[in-house]
Amino acid sequence: MRVQWVELDAVALTQRCYPGKYKPNEAAPGLHGCFEFRLGANCIIYTLPLAARPTEREYHETAGHELHHCRDGYFHDDELFIPGPRKQRPGERPR
Ligand SMILES: [Zn+2]
């Protein structure tokens, strides 16, 4: 799998991660990043730049979280992120 890393400011990141959910100049509170799968097993991570983070540690934690998504697909239920190919949970019907 190829991973592409794209850093965006908070407003651009909001538009990328929550298309149509916020006003064009509005930033989603607490948004750190999201991921998207493209054809050919490319995983694109969108995130705030290091300079926009409270700490470098927080930046790397987001990097690890989004890379986890690239490896495993969709793994939390909050519907906040662009879903990738997700794993089937026990008892869940395929979709
Ligand atoms: Zn996530």
Side-chain angles (χ1 to χ4, degrees):
M1 179 179 59
R2 261 181 126 161
V3 175
Q4 194 183 339
W5 189 259
V6 179
E7 295 186 336
L8 300 170
D9 67 38
V11 169
L13 184 66
T14 298
Q15 295 306 313
R16 190 69 249 182
C17 295
Y18 302 88
K21 280 197 182 175
Y22 287 84
K23 290 171 193 153
N25 57 353
E26 199 177 0
L31 177 64
H32 291 176
C34 64
F35 74 104
E36 183 182 8
F37 279 97
R38 293 266 173 88
L39 284 175
N42 290 316
C43 187
I44 308 172
I45 294 172
Y46 301 100
T47 191
L48 292 170
L50 177 59
R53 303 308 183 104
T55 64
E56 192 167 337
R57 180 194 169 94
E58 193 273 350
Y59 176 80
H60 289 118
E61 282 172 353
T62 299
H65 179 93
E66 300 303 337
L67 282 168
H68 185 174
H69 275 301
C70 288
R71 192 192 68 189
D72 290 351
Y74 200 65
F75 61 80
H76 46 84
D77 296 320
D78 55 20
E79 303 291 335
L80 291 178
F81 295 82
I82 298 167
R86 62 198 288 276
K87 285 186 171 175
Q88 200 180 331
R89 295 193 176 88
E92 187 183 56
R93 301 168 98 183
R95 43 172 147 155

